[in-house]
Amino acid sequence: MAIKIGRNDPCWCGSGKKYKVCHEAFDAKIKRYAMVGHQVPNHSMIKTPEQIEGIRAAAKVNVAVLDYVAANIKAGCSTQDIDDWVSSKTAELGGIPAQLNYEGFPKTVCTSINEVICHGIPNKDEILKDGDIINVDCTTIVNGYYADSSRMFMIGDVSPEKRKLVEVTKECVELGLKEVKPWSFLGNMANAVNKHATENGFSVVREIGGHGCGVDFHEDPWVGYYGKPNTQMLLVPGMIFTIEPMVNMGSAKINNNAEDGWRIVTADGKPSAQWEIQVLVTETGNEVISW
Ligand code: MF3
Ligand code: CO
Ligand code: CO
């Protein structure tokens, strides 16, 4: 807490109340965690009620866009079709796609099939076929606020091994989510995710993680899926971040030497799955904002 704020000054959270009756005790509590060596959030990681409302509005569009994809995706579609749906649905609902032109990304949505871990670029010549698994990752801006989530889709008749990968990865997110509550730590979430994946014979990608999200696309903290309980960053009410583990059927090793500069694949060519949710830490636990 670097900013010096008078006890009678308005609180940094934007409530309009005096600091001493608003977040003073809260800041003191966080400081006690920092003093015994924990990583703690700064004020920019703690969203105000107004920001949370804005992020919820963006999520409403993001979820509707993914619902539209869910209702239409099938064998024979191209990944460009998915990109077209996301573009038109997002615009229709008053949103702006955050991924288009983000650091030079050329499309609106990421479509990552089978051994593609993430950042697959939609292409009219890439046709979904029976037995494929695909992640569709969508990020929407509404009134300057960001919502980011992704889902897996199983196309037609998927092998039992791939189905298990998709289902276990979803369970990893659900088990991680249970650990998201105030005054817990990101390490508790990370450990729950990693444990469930490895107990099922899978591995979790280490180099790519989740992130704070809402006022900007990728905010601090970085959110990994490896670590011990009661380590990593302290969680406090008002934080919003993504849980988005990439779980591999084989080794956790990645290959990020794609010619297009984006697509990340498994080093061993085996399938990978990912689900992404955006979650708010509340006073009593958590609220899933986008899924
Ligand atoms: N939506 C992705 C995430 O979950 C980021 C994709 S960046 C892009 O963080 F440029 F590839 F679109
Ligand atoms: Co995403
Ligand atoms: Co994300």
Side-chain angles (χ1 to χ4, degrees):
M1 300 298 128
I3 306 152
K4 195 105 180 108
I5 177 165
R7 299 191 65 228
N8 288 313
D9 289 345
C11 189
W12 54 262
C13 79
S15 65
K17 288 189 239 170
K18 287 185 177 176
Y19 180 52
K20 65 184 178 191
V21 295
C22 197
H23 274 88
E24 188 187 41
F26 175 86
D27 283 349
K29 184 168 179 180
I30 292 177
K31 200 170 175 186
R32 289 198 290 276
Y33 281 91
M35 279 166 66
V36 296
H38 287 294
Q39 293 173 52
V40 300
N42 58 40
H43 288 162
S44 73
M45 296 180 205
I46 302 166
K47 270 53 182 175
T48 67
E50 188 191 334
Q51 289 170 336
I52 293 168
E53 271 322 298
I55 298 162
R56 282 201 187 100
K60 208 172 162 189
V61 177
N62 206 56
V63 169
V65 170
L66 282 169
D67 284 347
Y68 186 83
V69 172
N72 290 281
I73 196 167
K74 59 175 194 292
C77 292
S78 73
T79 48
Q80 181 60 50
D81 292 334
I82 300 169
D83 202 78
D84 293 343
W85 302 336
V86 170
S87 297
S88 57
K89 206 67 195 169
T90 303
E92 181 193 318
L93 298 172
I96 298 168
Q99 296 187 158
L100 183 62
N101 299 322
Y102 175 78
E103 292 185 3
F105 190 77
K107 298 278 173 161
T108 295
V109 69
C110 294
T111 49
S112 305
I113 303 175
N114 298 331
E115 77 284 2
V116 183
I117 295 172
C118 64
H119 302 166
I121 300 176
N123 178 333
K124 68 176 175 26
D125 299 322
E126 185 178 50
I127 308 296
L128 291 178
K129 55 183 196 311
D130 195 60
D132 282 342
I133 58 171
I134 178 174
N135 174 276
V136 177
D137 190 340
C138 189
T139 312
T140 303
I141 309 169
V142 174
N143 282 327
Y145 294 109
Y146 288 75
D148 180 16
S149 57
S150 79
R151 303 183 197 169
M152 292 299 296
F153 299 102
M154 295 189 264
I155 306 302
D157 214 5
V158 169
S159 72
E161 295 81 7
K162 277 174 153 179
R163 182 171 292 275
K164 182 182 167 194
L165 178 68
V166 170
E167 285 167 357
V168 166
T169 306
K170 191 172 193 191
E171 291 160 11
C172 285
V173 171
E174 289 161 353
L175 290 166
L177 179 65
K178 279 195 184 168
E179 301 299 326
V180 176
K181 51 192 159 210
W183 317 108
S184 183
F185 299 90
L186 277 180
N188 299 58
M189 182 282 294
N191 184 259
V193 168
N194 202 289
K195 187 166 174 280
H196 191 61
T198 51
E199 278 174 1
N200 280 280
F202 301 139
S203 64
V204 185
V205 171
R206 292 215 189 188
E207 295 88 337
I208 317 158
H211 48 95
C213 184
V215 172
D216 206 344
F217 191 165
H218 291 126
E219 303 172 342
D220 285 335
W222 189 81
V223 179
Y225 312 97
Y226 176 83
K228 295 191 184 76
N230 303 319
T231 68
Q232 303 177 18
M233 190 167 284
L234 175 72
L235 299 176
V236 306
M239 291 171 79
I240 297 185
F241 57 88
T242 68
I243 302 177
E244 51 175 309
M246 284 142 261
V247 178
N248 294 354
M249 194 180 281
S251 114
K253 258 187 98 185
I254 70 168
N255 176 339
N256 59 358
N257 297 317
E259 249 171 59
D260 65 23
W262 280 100
R263 159 195 258 254
I264 297 176
V265 298
T266 57
D268 61 12
K270 291 187 181 168
S272 181
Q274 177 183 31
W275 293 82
E276 173 174 28
I277 60 171
Q278 185 177 4
V279 57
L280 165 70
V281 183
T282 64
E283 295 291 338
T284 52
N286 64 66
E287 176 190 326
V288 179
I289 298 260
S290 190
W291 58 88

